[in-house]
C-alpha cells in the first residue's frame, strides 16, 4: 500500500538513507528499529513529507507521492516532545485541528477516542498539570481526531517507563486495530519493537538490515549486526532481571 522504491537521501555528502526499498500494508503496525543516528527519524520525515529525497520514489495506493507536499499526503505525526499548546487545556488541544477542518471526526468519535485513551478525567486540565504519559495520550488523541491515512510516531514511549509505557503501548495497538490504521513507529528499543508491531524494519547506517515479523527476527536474525545489537540487548535485559530475582530470593 505504501511503497518506498530505492529511496536515497544525503546530507552534506553523507548518505543517510541508502537505496531503501520497502512496503507497508494497510492496517499494519511497523516499527523502525535501529541505533542512534541510523536514519530512523529521517525515514519518518521522508514519509511524512517534511524531508525531500534525492532519488527514488514514494508510492501510496498507486499514487506517486514523491513530489506531493506534506499537507496533501494526509499523513500525521506525533513528535517525541508532544508539541502541545500550553495555553489550552487538554480538550482544547485534542480538538484544535478540527477548528480548521470541522467534521473530520464527529463529536461522538471524539468522545470515543477520549474514553479509549483514558483522558475523560483530564479534559479540563492545563498541559502543565498533566503527567508525561497523559501528555502523550493527549498528543495521540489530537493527531487521531484528524483521521490520518497513516499514523507516524517518533519514539512515543521513550520518555515513559514501566506500567505507563505498557498501557500506552496497549492503547496504540488497540487504536491501530480498531481503526484499521496503518501505523509506523520509530524506536531504538528492541523489546518495544518486537512486542508492539506486526513487522519490524531494522536499519543500520541507512540500510535495511532486516524487515520481517518479530518471530522471524528472533528465530532467524538476518545477520551479525542483528544478533549482536538487537538480540544481545534483549538477552542482557533478561539476565539482569533474572539475576535481580535470584538476588532477592537468595
Ligand atoms: N537536517 C539535517 N542536516 C544534516 N544532517 C542531518 C539532518 N538530519 C539528520 N541528519 C543526520 O542524519 C543522520 C541520521 O539522523 P536521524 O535523525 O535520522 O537518526 P535517528 O536514527 O533518528 O537517531 P536517534 O535515534 O538518535 O533519534 C545523523 O547522522 C544526523 O546527524
Ligand atoms: Mg530520531
Amino acid at each position: 500500500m505504501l511503497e518506498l522504491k530505492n529511496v536515497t537521501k544525503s546530507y552534506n555528502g553523507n548518505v543517510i538513507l541508502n537505496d531503501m526499498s520497502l512496503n507497508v500494508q494497510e492496517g499494519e503496525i511497523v516499527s523502525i528499529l535501529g541505533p542512534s543516528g541510523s536514519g530512523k527519524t529521517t525515514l519518518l520525515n521522508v514519509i511524512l513529507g517534511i524531508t525531500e529525497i534525492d532519488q527514488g520514489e514514494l508510492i501510496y495506493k498507486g499514487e506517486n507521492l514523491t513530489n506531493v507536499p506534506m499537507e496533501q499526503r494526509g499523513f500525521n505525526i506525533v513528535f517525541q516532545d508532544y508539541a502541545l499548546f500550553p495555553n489550552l487545556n487538554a480538550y482544547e488541544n485534542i480538538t484544535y485541528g478540527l477548528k480548521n477542518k470541522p467534521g473530520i471526526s464527529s463529536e461522538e468519535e471524539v468522545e470515543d477516542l477520549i474514553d479509549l485513551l483514558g483522558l475523560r478525567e483530564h479534559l479540563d486540565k492545563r498541559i502543565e498539570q498533566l503527567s508525561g504519559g497523559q501528555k502523550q495520550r493527549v498528543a495521540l488523541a489530537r493527531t487521531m481526531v484528524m483521521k490520518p491515512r497513516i499514523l507516524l510516531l517518533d519514539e512515543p514511549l521513550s520518555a515513559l517507563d514501566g506500567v505507563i509505557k505498557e498501557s500506552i503501548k496497549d492503547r496504540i495497538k488497540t487504536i491501530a486495530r480498531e481503526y484499521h490504521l496503518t501505523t509506523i513507529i520509530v524506536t531504538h528499543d528492541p523489546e518495544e519493537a518486537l512486542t508492539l508491531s506486526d513487522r519490524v524494519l531494522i536499519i543500520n547506517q541507512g540500510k535495511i538490515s532486516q524487515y520481517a515479523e518479530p518471530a522471524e527476527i528472533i528465530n532467524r536474525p538476518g545477520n551479525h549486526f542483528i544478533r549482536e545489537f538487537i538480540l544481545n540487548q534483549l538477552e542482557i535485559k533478561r539476565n539482569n532481571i533474572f539475576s535481580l530475582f535470584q538476588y532477592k530470593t537468595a
Side-chain angles (χ1 to χ4, degrees):
M1 182 204 55
L2 174 72
E3 199 178 353
L4 272 71
K5 285 186 183 170
N6 309 102
V7 167
T8 296
K9 173 73 189 175
S10 299
Y11 282 120
N12 317 317
N14 297 319
V15 182
I16 308 299
L17 303 180
N18 193 346
D19 196 28
M20 269 199 188
S21 297
L22 63 108
N23 62 72
V24 177
Q25 304 301 323
E26 184 151 31
E28 190 174 32
I29 304 178
V30 168
S31 288
I32 302 174
L33 177 66
S36 182
S38 58
K40 303 182 297 294
T41 297
T42 305
L43 179 57
L44 216 58
N45 288 342
V46 158
I47 295 170
L48 182 67
I50 303 180
T51 299
E52 273 183 38
I53 55 178
D54 304 331
Q55 278 168 50
E57 285 185 335
L58 230 107
I59 316 282
Y60 178 73
K61 291 190 172 170
E63 183 191 353
N64 191 335
L65 289 188
T66 315
N67 297 312
V68 172
M70 177 175 70
E71 315 80 65
Q72 288 166 28
R73 292 190 187 186
F75 305 161
N76 211 335
I77 190 163
V78 177
F79 293 104
Q80 185 178 352
D81 63 359
Y82 322 126
L84 296 169
F85 303 114
N87 52 329
L88 303 179
N89 70 23
Y91 183 79
E92 289 162 344
N93 265 280
I94 293 167
T95 53
Y96 186 83
L98 294 173
K99 278 196 205 160
N100 296 324
K101 292 184 172 176
I104 284 196
S105 285
S106 67
E107 214 164 294
E108 196 187 339
E109 286 171 323
V110 174
E111 295 301 312
D112 279 354
L113 206 54
I114 286 168
D115 287 330
L116 195 61
L117 284 164
L119 289 169
R120 174 79 43 211
E121 66 206 282
H122 306 298
L123 294 177
D124 296 332
K125 291 186 185 167
R126 287 194 313 279
I127 297 309
E128 62 181 25
Q129 297 172 301
L130 299 172
S131 73
Q134 290 157 358
K135 283 183 204 164
Q136 187 63 61
R137 281 179 279 153
V138 171
L140 202 55
R142 182 180 63 172
T143 304
M144 297 287 312
V145 297
M146 301 313 288
K147 294 194 179 163
R149 303 199 286 179
I150 296 183
L151 177 65
L152 304 165
L153 303 161
D154 196 354
E155 306 243 6
L157 306 170
S158 62
L160 313 169
D161 49 34
V163 180
I164 294 178
K165 188 169 181 162
E166 286 308 311
S167 116
I168 296 185
K169 207 162 84 178
D170 280 350
R171 285 186 178 139
I172 291 173
K173 224 170 174 169
T174 307
I175 288 173
R177 295 280 178 256
E178 196 150 304
Y179 291 71
H180 200 64
L181 179 63
T182 309
T183 304
I184 304 177
I185 178 165
V186 163
T187 177
H188 59 257
D189 179 351
E191 187 189 350
E192 195 177 298
L194 293 166
T195 54
L196 183 63
S197 37
D198 299 310
R199 281 198 289 171
V200 182
L201 177 79
I202 300 175
I203 64 175
N204 186 25
Q205 297 180 337
K207 284 205 161 225
I208 296 175
S209 202
Q210 188 171 12
Y211 185 27
E213 291 176 10
E216 172 82 9
I217 289 170
I218 290 167
N219 295 325
R220 280 180 288 279
N223 52 54
H224 179 72
F225 165 76
I226 294 172
R227 273 191 298 277
E228 286 296 309
F229 290 88
I230 312 288
L231 299 182
N232 273 3
Q233 267 194 59
L234 290 175
E235 191 70 14
I236 289 165
K237 211 166 174 178
R238 198 173 65 189
N239 288 342
N240 282 346
I241 293 168
F242 191 62
S243 59
L244 188 75
F245 180 72
Q246 280 180 324
Y247 171 75
K248 281 207 168 149
T249 53

